[in-house]
Each structure stands twice: as C-alpha cells, then as structure tokens.
Amino acid sequence: MGADSNENPGKPGLLGRMFKLRHSKEEFWEPKPEPELTVEQPEAPPVAPKPELSNPDLSEPEARPSWWSRLRQGLARSSSSISRGVADIFTKRKLSADMLEDLEDVLVRADLGVDAATRIAALVGKGRYDKQIEPREVRQILADEIERVLTPVAKPLEVDGTKKPFVILVVGVNGSGKTTTIGKLASKFNSEGKSLMLAAGDTFRAAAIEQLRIWGGRMNAPVISREPGADAAGLAFDAIKAAQEQNVDVLLMDTAGRLQNRTELMAELEKIVRVMKKVDAEAPHAVLLVLDATVGQNALSQVEIFGKVAGVTGLVMTKLDGTARGGILVAIAERFGLPVHFIGVGEQADDLEPFTARDFARAIAGFDGEDDGQENDDAGQ
C-alpha cells in the first residue's frame, strides 16, 4: 500500500492540507496568480465583397459641414444667450451705467468670470456714455477681448519625436469624455502616420476597456489591458515597457474618472504618475485634463486640483455643444494660463479640433460668417 501511495499520491492528507503541503513533496501550494496582462494586437479586417453595380448611385455624398459651421452650431446655446442679452440691453437706447451692469450680469451667467465681465463692460462704456451703441458693436468688443485673453493659451499639442514612446496621460472626472477623447486623439495621430498604443487604465469600468479595444481595432493599434479591478499603476508600468519594446511613437493612457475632492482617488492618480517615472523619468510627457463644459464654474476647481496632483500640462474642453456656459474657457484661461489644445463640439472623430482663439471668440459672440468682424478689427488698427 505504501508503494501504491507513492506512485499515486491522491489528495493531500490532513497534515498536508493544514500546512498547504503536497502529500508527495515538501512544497507549498502555488499562490493565486496576478491578473493577466492583455496585449491585444489588431487583426486585419476581412475583405468585404465588391457590391454589384447594376444600378449604381451616381449622386455625390452629402458634404460634411466645415469646422467653423460645426463650431458655430456647437456654441449656439452660449452665443444665443449672450446675443439675446446684448440685444435686449442695447437696442435703441443711450448707454448708461445701469446698462453696463446688466451687460456684466449677462456675461457672468455665461461663465466668463467676474473679472472678464467687468473689463468688457468697461470697454463698452469707454467714451460712449449717453450715446447709442448697436448690439453688433458690443458683440465685436466682446469678441476682441475674448480673443485677446485666449490667444496666449491656444497652443497645439506637440509630440516630441525624440521621446519614444511619447506618453500622454489623460485625466478628468467621471463623465468628462476621457475615453472618447483618447479615441479621437488616436484617430488624429493615426492620420499623421504615427504608430500608436493605447492603455486601458480605467480598470474600474469594463465598458471603458471595451471602448478602447474598439478604438484600437479601428486605428490598427495594440491595446494594453487587464481584467476589471486590476491595479492601474501596474498597468501603466507594463504599458510603457511594451511601448518601448515595440518602438511606438505615442502611448495614450486612459485613467478612471475621479472626483477632485476624493483624496484617496487622487492619491491613486499620483501613484500612476510615480510608477510611470520608474520606467521613464520624463514620463508622462503630457498630461491632458479633459473638461466637460457643462459643469461651469466647477471646472475651475478641477483644473486647480488635478494640476497639483498630476501636473496637468494642457486642456481639452468637451461638450461645448451641450451648454450655454461656454464662457468658462475664458475664466480658466485668465486664472491658470494653461494651454488649451483641443475643443469638442460633437461625437464624430473630427468634432475634436485644435483650439483657435479667433474662431472661438467670434462663434461665442454670435458672428455667423468666418470673416465677420474682420473689417471692424482692421479699421481699428
């Protein structure tokens, strides 16, 4: 029986189970393995059969509206609120101090901030008391001042080709649009011929991981992920290592949405940054804070706290098409002076565009054409 038990040890005995020893060998049971890292390499899409052309449709596809048109439409709620307020105050009336106070109220409600509202009202009133001023002239002064404030922060996101991978960490609160923004940025980099890797650092949401996998498939880019609930800092470490091994140009890393007033969640974000620096002392090379324009003044505290914790280097403003408070970008620019790289006004990949101060200023001031206001600017020079 002893010989048989050596040949076929069977289940461990009582003593073996107590000390986690195998019956036949003096060794411990192996510990539970860590969550497996997944590196998904995109597969080539199947070749679709050619459609039959028995009755071809020769009509031209509907043209996509220009970026200016989409920006103007996206800021329609903000511009309409301002334009209506200006028209109500200044139509066929001589300028008075009360009218300027009313103008300040309109601009503050659009979230431009008290400082900007006061300054614009003063510019409108300069040399014009007891004189009639047209609403269009007021809107032109508004557009000029907004452009002046925003021009210094309207900067493109520049990828340093000497740093491979160029690591971009994307942060923000829940629902700001981080994962979608990563997909849109990936589309832009892909169109520029840059090689990409995506890291699904929002390990709390299975939907976010799946969303990045879909974007990766579209861009023919590998996606680094782990099972939901895994350590995001460990994933960041592995992602940079993998990107280095594959000589990738750009690594885009998603993070879990976190409220800026939750200390423990912000500490996790701080940990991600620390771990990244263990692999590459200069990483992340860019930290983009994605802001939801619909939150209004709350965006100011987001910029302040995320800046302290993660070292934000630039901003992306999304959902400008869903609010009448688009002026918050002016208040943020005046207070923090951080670069604004992109703004978004829709769900399509090309609805995220590099930020230009002049276009934004004219759109929010309610000018319809791309060249509106140019003559006034030239005349004043």
Side-chain angles (χ1 to χ4, degrees):
M1 183 173 178
D4 293 341
S5 63
N6 288 335
E7 293 175 3
N8 184 19
K11 294 183 179 180
L14 176 60
L15 185 61
R17 291 198 301 273
M18 289 176 62
F19 290 96
K20 296 185 177 179
L21 298 175
R22 295 189 184 276
H23 200 66
S24 59
K25 297 180 181 179
E26 295 294 319
E27 63 183 19
F28 289 95
W29 291 107
E30 294 183 2
K32 184 180 179 181
E34 290 293 321
E36 184 178 353
L37 179 72
T38 303
V39 182
E40 297 191 11
Q41 298 289 349
E43 299 180 357
V47 179
K50 293 183 179 180
E52 297 182 5
L53 299 178
S54 56
N55 294 303
D57 183 2
L58 300 179
S59 61
E60 295 185 2
E62 185 177 348
R64 179 104 162 107
S66 68
W67 166 245
W68 163 256
S69 297
R70 284 178 280 133
L71 175 63
R72 177 72 182 86
Q73 183 61 36
L75 286 170
R77 292 180 63 181
S78 296
S79 64
S80 295
S81 175
I82 293 173
S83 296
R84 283 197 305 269
V86 168
D88 291 343
I89 296 168
F90 292 97
T91 299
K92 296 181 180 180
R93 295 172 63 189
K94 290 184 178 181
L95 188 62
S96 67
D98 289 342
M99 292 167 66
L100 294 179
E101 289 184 8
D102 291 341
L103 175 62
E104 286 186 35
D105 291 342
V106 168
L107 299 179
V108 168
R109 285 198 299 271
D111 273 340
L112 270 78
V114 174
D115 291 343
T118 302
R119 190 171 58 252
I120 292 167
L123 289 170
V124 170
K126 188 175 181 179
R128 296 184 178 90
Y129 277 99
D130 292 326
K131 297 178 182 177
Q132 187 170 319
I133 179 172
E134 294 297 323
R136 180 185 176 86
E137 188 177 353
V138 175
R139 291 190 292 111
Q140 183 61 57
I141 294 170
L142 170 65
D144 290 344
E145 183 60 15
I146 291 176
E147 182 181 353
R148 185 193 69 78
V149 171
L150 294 179
T151 294
V153 302
K155 298 178 181 179
L157 175 60
E158 297 181 353
V159 174
D160 187 346
T162 65
K163 297 176 172 60
K164 296 184 71 171
F166 187 86
V167 181
I168 301 174
L169 182 65
V170 181
V171 302
V173 301
N174 297 305
S176 61
K178 296 182 302 300
T179 308
T180 300
T181 296
I182 287 176
K184 293 178 179 181
L185 290 174
S187 178
K188 292 187 179 298
F189 291 140
N190 183 64
S191 67
E192 295 170 2
K194 293 181 174 64
S195 58
L196 299 168
M197 180 177 286
L198 309 181
D202 186 354
T203 56
F204 291 103
R205 286 198 310 131
I209 298 173
E210 183 59 28
Q211 190 177 355
L212 268 198
R213 287 172 177 164
I214 293 172
W215 278 108
R218 292 175 183 173
M219 302 300 113
N220 198 34
V223 178
I224 306 294
S225 65
R226 281 181 174 171
E227 65 183 36
D231 178 38
L235 184 140
F237 184 95
D238 293 335
I240 296 179
K241 282 286 191 182
Q244 289 173 339
E245 292 171 0
Q246 298 188 29
N247 199 32
V248 167
D249 293 326
V250 178
L251 169 63
L252 283 160
M253 179 160 178
D254 195 7
T255 57
R258 56 199 76 226
L259 297 175
Q260 72 273 18
N261 58 358
R262 291 286 299 276
T263 305
E264 73 281 9
L265 295 179
M266 298 304 287
E268 290 179 4
L269 181 59
E270 207 169 17
K271 178 184 175 184
I272 291 173
V273 175
R274 286 200 312 270
V275 170
M276 280 185 164
K277 293 186 181 300
K278 292 181 179 180
V279 192
D280 182 342
E282 296 183 3
H285 303 103
V287 180
L288 302 186
L289 174 59
V290 180
L291 295 169
D292 177 350
T294 64
V295 303
Q297 291 292 310
N298 186 262
L300 293 169
S301 66
Q302 292 179 29
V303 176
E304 181 177 6
I305 297 174
F306 275 97
K308 291 177 181 177
V309 172
V312 172
T313 61
L315 306 176
V316 179
M317 179 69 80
T318 66
K319 305 183 184 180
L320 281 163
D321 52 325
T323 181
R325 307 165 77 180
I328 188 60
L329 200 54
V330 179
I332 292 171
E334 283 211 302
R335 181 167 170 181
F336 299 101
L338 280 169
V340 181
H341 296 311
F342 297 94
I343 57 173
V345 292
E347 295 299 324
Q348 300 299 316
D350 58 354
D351 285 330
L352 184 76
E353 284 287 329
F355 177 68
T356 55
R358 183 174 180 80
D359 285 350
F360 181 89
R362 286 181 292 116
I364 201 170
F367 291 110
D368 294 324
E370 292 186 66
D371 297 323
D372 272 1
Q374 183 67 48
E375 292 181 2
N376 289 358
D377 289 349
D378 294 342
Q381 293 177 354

